[in-house]
Amino acid sequence: MSSRRSRVSEEEINELISKLQSLLPEARRRGGGRASAAKLLKETCNYIRSLNREVDDLSGRLSALMATVDNNSAEAEIIRSLLRS
Amino acid sequence: MQVRNSFKLALLKQMLLGFQLSAVSSNSMSVPERKNAIKLSADAAMVFARGSTRWTRGLVAGLSENSNNEDLLRGILGKKYERLSLPCRSSWKIPRSRKILKRCLGLCSRRKKATATQHDVKSGSTLARRLVKKRIQVLKKLLPGGESMAGFSLLDQTLDYAVSLKAQVDIMRRLLKISKASNLNK
């Protein structure tokens, strides 16, 4: 992969910032209005931390149950649930 | 923002493969061992589903530091493993974009350099900029491979990573739900 130089437009940046905002859980509650850069970064960091914690927690809980699961039927059921949602 | 279903399916498939490869369902593992195997499977599966990008390479590099993880990583990533282990040539956006980025984030002071006044107080925007700098450092530590990123790339990769993590959590929640249900049927 060669190093790329590319211009990033103001539009792209604004789009990125608004995508980040809409991803964060609190932003959805507040509904509109532009948060400060500091706030955006803080909430982003908190969000990533909470997702990582949740993965860790889910791993722990799954470890207690995985011994009894049939992988094939579990996979089929999850696929069905994904297609429904 | 969400990933496609194809991403989630690939994640699920590779994660279950990881469980099989590490024999999660056998009784020979201790609970902490099983938890680690599950977590590693979930992370490797997420990398597989996402493909090559800076944070996935960063994550693989981090996971590879523990030599015990190599077999499972290779098992789940297959051919992708070699590609993902290559060192990253940094792609940099022209510095001009950093100024635009700062302006969009409301960080530029448009005032010219002020001459010394009676008030020797740091302006609000200077404090804001310092705070932002601090938080960017935190973000760099949270994002796999983040230390070598800056500006637009850092934020772009952060968004990408967060969206992928969300999908990982979603699949694991569904798996947990189904595991519980099937447990009740036994």
Side-chain angles (χ1 to χ4, degrees), chain B residues 32-33 35-37 39-41 43-44 57-75 77 81 85:
Chain B
E33 279 177 336
K35 178 182 171 182
N36 287 335
K39 198 162 178 200
L40 180 58
S41 297
D43 280 341
R57 287 200 294 271
L59 186 51
V60 169
L63 293 171
S64 302
E65 278 174 10
N66 182 350
S67 54
N68 292 328
N69 294 340
E70 190 175 331
D71 286 339
L72 191 56
L73 280 172
R74 281 185 187 276
L77 295 175
Y81 182 71
S85 303

Side-chain angles (χ1 to χ4, degrees), chain A residues 1-14:
Chain A
M1 194 201 273
S2 56
S3 65
R4 289 174 292 133
R5 284 166 170 238
S6 52
R7 288 192 182 277
V8 182
S9 68
E10 191 155 342
E11 211 181 294
E12 280 179 289
I13 294 176
N14 280 323

Side-chain angles (χ1 to χ4, degrees), chain B residues 85-141:
Chain B
S85 303
L86 290 172
C88 199
R89 299 261 300 275
S90 51
S91 76
W92 55 280
K93 317 281 185 181
I94 296 178
R96 181 172 156 266
S97 81
R98 287 226 198 131
K99 222 178 180 173
I100 301 176
L101 178 63
K102 289 191 171 165
R103 188 168 64 231
C104 293
L105 289 172
L107 291 174
C108 264
S109 103
R110 273 188 250 120
R111 290 172 283 127
K112 290 196 175 152
K113 228 177 177 180
T115 51
T117 64
Q118 301 100 302
H119 320 282
D120 199 14
V121 173
K122 289 240 155 75
S123 70
S125 69
T126 312
L127 286 169
R129 257 177 284 148
R130 267 186 172 186
L131 189 56
V132 166
K133 258 192 176 171
K134 252 175 61 177
R135 294 202 169 145
I136 287 179
Q137 294 313 309
V138 172
L139 181 59
K140 280 183 166 198
K141 293 206 182 86

Side-chain angles (χ1 to χ4, degrees), chain A residues 4-32:
Chain A
R4 289 174 292 133
R5 284 166 170 238
S6 52
R7 288 192 182 277
V8 182
S9 68
E10 191 155 342
E11 211 181 294
E12 280 179 289
I13 294 176
N14 280 323
E15 201 188 319
L16 178 59
I17 292 175
S18 80
K19 276 186 184 168
L20 266 172
Q21 273 199 279
S22 62
L23 183 70
L24 301 171
E26 281 182 40
R28 273 181 257 133
R29 281 200 290 272
R30 225 188 293 119

